[in-house]
Amino acid sequence: MTPDFDVLLLDFGGPCLVSPFELHDVAEQRFGLEPGTLSWKGPIDPDSDELYRTMVGGGVLSEREYWYRRTAEVAELIGRPDLELHDWFHEIYDPPRPGLIRAECLAVTDAARAAGIGVSVLTNDLSAFHGEEWSKGVPFVQTLDHLVDLSHTGFLKPDPRGFELAIETVGAPADRILFLDDQPGNCEGARAVGIETVFLDIADPASSWREVAKRLELDVTI
């Protein structure tokens, strides 16, 4: 049976890379904060995070703006007014290490490649958040067919230009691409240009990856 899709297109932070919300313990340890200080948990517990609810609720706050706001809060907590977003991400993600890329992501993408399905990434913020060199130390990134990073393009998902650039880059029709993202608005943007989507729930990423495997007709255990 021929799969319905030629390309699996992935958002990076969240679907592939574990989210900062899941690394609060690392941040608290490295910044000398008491455990539980970072009590806002985004999609893991939206009730704990009014700012996150604002971000996903109406488009008045972008994901990048959300993290800038959180960085400013952490900077005040630790008395480092010079703390910038890339400094915080450096503390929790450097050096690249096993476990930062989800096991489910690795299992499904390996199976997709074995089935002849391309695997590429469309990200808003990879170099903006992590710098230009960090991804070179992440083996998963080196296996990708294409990496489309919108960090410095002047437009971000869900702007249709981002998806159009990805379509052109991967060389497949929109209806032959399956897209995975953890932001509902980005999934809506993909569907608007004819790309089918799966929403990744960071509170239960394994179920979302199982749905991807099902849609791609892959025999993989998660």
Side-chain angles (χ1 to χ4, degrees), residues 7-220:
V7 174
L8 173 60
L9 184 64
L10 305 167
D11 178 35
F12 186 66
C16 304
L17 183 72
V18 296
S19 73
F21 302 105
E22 298 163 275
L23 297 175
H24 277 349
D25 58 334
V26 176
E28 289 164 345
Q29 181 181 33
R30 295 192 176 178
F31 288 129
L33 297 170
E34 289 293 324
T37 300
L38 303 181
S39 59
W40 40 269
K41 299 180 180 178
I44 298 172
D45 181 11
D47 289 343
S48 72
D49 197 334
E50 182 179 359
L51 190 63
Y52 178 82
R53 297 197 304 273
T54 299
M55 180 184 77
V56 299
V60 297
L61 185 71
S62 72
E63 185 177 15
R64 191 177 290 189
E65 290 166 336
Y66 171 91
W67 286 113
Y68 286 147
R69 292 270 294 274
R70 289 303 188 198
T71 300
E73 293 173 9
V74 172
E76 184 174 358
L77 281 172
I78 65 175
R80 279 185 55 184
D82 61 334
L83 184 77
E84 296 186 6
L85 180 59
H86 63 83
D87 299 318
W88 179 10
F89 276 37
H90 173 81
E91 290 293 339
I92 63 176
Y93 287 112
D94 282 12
R97 57 195 183 274
L100 289 180
I101 301 297
R102 299 189 189 279
E104 301 92 341
C105 168
L106 296 174
V108 173
T109 55
D110 283 350
R113 278 188 285 267
I117 298 169
V119 178
S120 294
V121 157
L122 171 62
T123 174
N124 276 349
D125 298 303
L126 180 55
S127 61
F129 284 5
H130 297 277
E132 299 292 341
E133 296 297 318
W134 179 84
S135 62
K136 295 178 182 178
V138 181
F140 170 73
V141 174
Q142 310 313 313
T143 69
L144 297 169
D145 296 308
H146 303 282
L147 172 60
V148 181
D149 185 357
L150 305 179
S151 287
H152 308 296
T153 60
F155 51 85
L156 301 172
K157 295 175 293 181
D159 190 309
R161 290 175 292 179
F163 297 105
E164 291 163 358
L165 178 59
I167 292 167
E168 178 182 358
T169 301
V170 304
D175 62 0
R176 298 292 298 176
I177 299 171
L178 181 65
F179 177 61
L180 177 68
D181 200 294
D182 64 318
Q183 296 296 323
N186 293 341
C187 290
E188 291 174 10
R191 290 192 294 270
V193 299
I195 297 175
E196 293 194 37
T197 69
V198 174
F199 170 70
L200 183 122
D201 181 0
I202 286 180
D204 186 12
S207 66
S208 303
W209 276 106
R210 281 194 289 270
E211 176 63 19
V212 171
K214 179 181 178 182
R215 296 282 295 276
L216 296 180
E217 302 177 17
L218 300 175
D219 183 14
V220 57

